[in-house]
């Protein structure tokens, strides 16, 4: 997800809770301590992830790059977005969890993670 102040609550309350409740580790690279280039760390974490959760809100090109990398590595990927109008053409045909508020996203993500288990 973009490292944007307006999405902080989305991560902390809408994503992190359901992921931890599903018994998984929830990481966001800007909140970790590590050495080396950030893109290398992102690639390493995608390669070992049980699932990649990507919030495509704000149409950040870096997030799209990371989604493409996850797809290329065959990682299960859950796409989230606040408004379908924010989706770019290359992912618009893929299933995406559209949420109007954090509570709705939390509930939808919880169901998806249970379905994947």
């Amino acid at each position: 997800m973009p490292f944007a102040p307006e999405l902080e609550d989305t991560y902390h309350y809408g994503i992190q809770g359901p992921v931890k409740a599903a018994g998984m580790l929830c990481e966001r690279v800007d909140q970790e301590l590590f050495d080396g280039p950030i893109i290398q760390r992102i690639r390493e974490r995608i390669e070992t992830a049980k699932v990649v959760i990507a919030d495509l809100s704000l149409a950040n090109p870096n997030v799209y790059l990371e989604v493409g990398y996850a797809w290329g590595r065959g990682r299960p990927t859950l796409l989230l977005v606040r408004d379908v109008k924010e989706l770019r053409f290359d992912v618009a045909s893929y299933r995406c969890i559209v949420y109007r508020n954090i509570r709705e996203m939390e509930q939808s993500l919880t169901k998806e993670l249970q379905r994947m288990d």
Side-chain angles (χ1 to χ4, degrees), residues 13-14 17-18 101-111:
Y13 302 110
N101 57 57
I102 294 171
R103 180 70 179 147
E104 181 180 42
M105 188 237 286
E106 177 189 32
Q107 292 170 342
S108 296
L109 188 54
T110 296
K111 288 178 187 173

Side-chain angles (χ1 to χ4, degrees), residues 40-55:
Q40 180 61 35
R41 179 65 177 182
I42 291 169
R43 282 191 300 236
E44 290 169 357
R45 301 313 292 151
I46 288 172
E47 289 170 7
T48 61
K50 180 175 182 176
V51 62
V52 174
I53 300 170
D55 192 326

Side-chain angles (χ1 to χ4, degrees), residues 10-68:
T10 300
Y11 172 71
H12 289 288
Y13 302 110
I15 297 173
Q16 197 173 46
V19 170
K20 286 185 175 183
M24 292 183 258
L25 176 64
C26 187
E27 294 181 316
R28 203 173 84 176
V29 74
D30 68 320
Q31 297 180 351
E32 296 180 36
L33 297 174
F34 61 91
D35 293 322
I38 192 168
I39 193 66
Q40 180 61 35
R41 179 65 177 182
I42 291 169
R43 282 191 300 236
E44 290 169 357
R45 301 313 292 151
I46 288 172
E47 289 170 7
T48 61
K50 180 175 182 176
V51 62
V52 174
I53 300 170
D55 192 326
L56 301 174
S57 302
L58 307 180
N60 183 298
N62 293 339
V63 177
Y64 276 80
L65 175 66
E66 293 154 10
V67 167

